[in-house]
Amino acid sequence: METVERIKQQIAENSILLYMKGSPKLPSCGFSAQASQALMSCGEKFAYVDILQNPDIRAELPAYADWPTFPQLWVEGELVGGCDIILEMFQQGELQPLIKEAAERAATNEDQE
């Protein structure tokens, strides 16, 4: 499968997806640590892809997303942004309802399948 196809599939299959360096429990950079911490504080499950384990995705995603840096948060197929945007939204109380609503819609969709 082509890398871009795999990226599209990951984004389509996961309503809340964080492309990051490392994992939420063992992040490999400060920005990924802060982004995953903010997401975990929202209290919903989310998927992640460790780009250090997937160098093809690390190379292709910035061009696909038109976003040069990691981490990248995708919610319901839309790029939300990177660490600064995630933290700003979290501090302003905008991230929590976005994540909660996406998780609720994903759960509803799973129930209907």
Side-chain angles (χ1 to χ4, degrees):
M1 185 185 289
E2 291 287 320
T3 303
V4 171
E5 292 305 313
R6 218 165 79 222
I7 291 169
K8 287 179 184 174
Q9 184 180 7
Q10 290 168 342
I11 291 168
E13 288 176 354
N14 298 288
S15 61
I16 306 164
L17 177 61
L18 184 66
Y19 286 96
M20 63 180 292
K21 294 178 181 176
S23 70
K25 291 194 173 29
L26 283 171
S28 297
C29 89
F31 298 115
S32 289
Q34 291 177 301
S36 60
Q37 197 62 48
L39 263 182
M40 287 190 280
S41 297
C42 293
E44 300 292 345
K45 288 191 311 196
F46 62 94
Y48 74 92
V49 174
D50 179 355
I51 59 156
L52 299 177
Q53 302 291 323
N54 296 278
D56 53 336
I57 291 175
R58 184 180 188 175
E60 295 281 340
L61 186 60
Y64 174 76
D66 199 20
W67 190 267
T69 58
F70 294 98
Q72 289 186 14
L73 174 61
W74 292 77
V75 177
E76 297 183 317
E78 298 290 319
L79 175 63
V80 174
C83 182
D84 291 348
I85 292 170
I86 294 167
L87 294 181
E88 189 176 311
M89 287 178 70
F90 182 75
Q91 287 158 356
Q92 292 177 351
E94 296 168 2
L95 186 66
Q96 297 86 331
L98 176 76
I99 297 301
K100 189 170 177 25
E101 289 163 18
E104 285 171 358
R105 278 193 290 271
T108 303
N109 291 342
E110 284 173 12
D111 291 345
Q112 292 172 352
E113 287 178 5

